[in-house]
Amino acid sequence: MKVVKNRLLFAWLEVTGFCNESCDHCYADSSPKGTHGTMTVDNWKHTIDQLADMSARDVQFIGGEPTLYPNLPELIRHAHGAGLSIEVFSNMTHVRDELWETFTECGVKLATSYYSDAAQEHDKVTNLRGSHKRTRSNVQKALSLDIPVRGGVVAVQKEQRVQEALRDLQTLGVGQVGGDRARAFGRASKGAVPTIVDLCGH
């Protein structure tokens, strides 16, 4: 009988629990009170090397807000050197110049969450005034630099402008736009016990 081995193809690297937003539905309970954790840069590099040795193909840097992790450019370059395809899942409100350079040089893809075409409604979800303006502006900048952007509209509130948000991203030129709902983890649980249907993926 032939044994089929499951190959690890993809891994999330949660490099920080620190975030400049405090979204009501955050699965990780990230916020400005979060930390970068106990993993050192060398720990993360060793993890990346292990993934490459296991023939993984893709890694996604997440958080918290990964662009606020000071050593993200170094880790991206290490992953790129290890032959891994890279995506950064960011709220796109705080992208410093060094990161833009790293993204373009290492062929990084970006993904972001978007909540409404209306700034006030988007900012109400993120609990950060001006977040809609900065996210939208940086999506436009990424596309102008030929950096692929994937967008996801998460339904969090009743009567949220979900369809309008989807169309707004498409109008900006975001090629891949999906949707999801808030899941009962982290702050989104509000005391509820998560069930199997709240899990992402398969």
Side-chain angles (χ1 to χ4, degrees), residues 62-135:
I62 62 172
E65 175 47 43
T67 62
L68 296 175
Y69 181 66
N71 301 109
L72 182 62
E74 185 177 354
L75 295 185
I76 288 174
R77 293 184 187 280
H78 190 80
H80 179 67
L84 294 166
S85 177
I86 303 156
E87 183 174 72
V88 174
F89 202 114
S90 168
N91 61 35
M92 301 284 287
T93 61
H94 183 81
V95 186
R96 56 194 190 275
D97 290 342
E98 183 185 7
L99 278 171
W100 287 120
E101 293 171 8
T102 305
F103 292 164
T104 54
E105 290 173 10
C106 296
V108 172
K109 296 172 286 186
L110 296 174
T112 193
S113 295
Y114 200 65
Y115 304 103
S116 178
D117 63 324
Q120 185 176 6
E121 186 174 71
H122 178 100
D123 293 358
K124 185 177 179 181
V125 173
T126 65
N127 291 301
L128 179 65
R129 182 179 295 180
S131 61
H132 178 268
K133 181 179 180 179
R134 293 200 293 272
T135 295

Side-chain angles (χ1 to χ4, degrees), residues 138-157:
N138 280 328
V139 166
Q140 290 175 302
K141 181 170 182 176
L143 294 171
S144 74
L145 294 171
D146 294 323
I147 299 172
V149 179
R150 180 171 60 87
V153 179
V154 182
V156 179
Q157 301 174 343

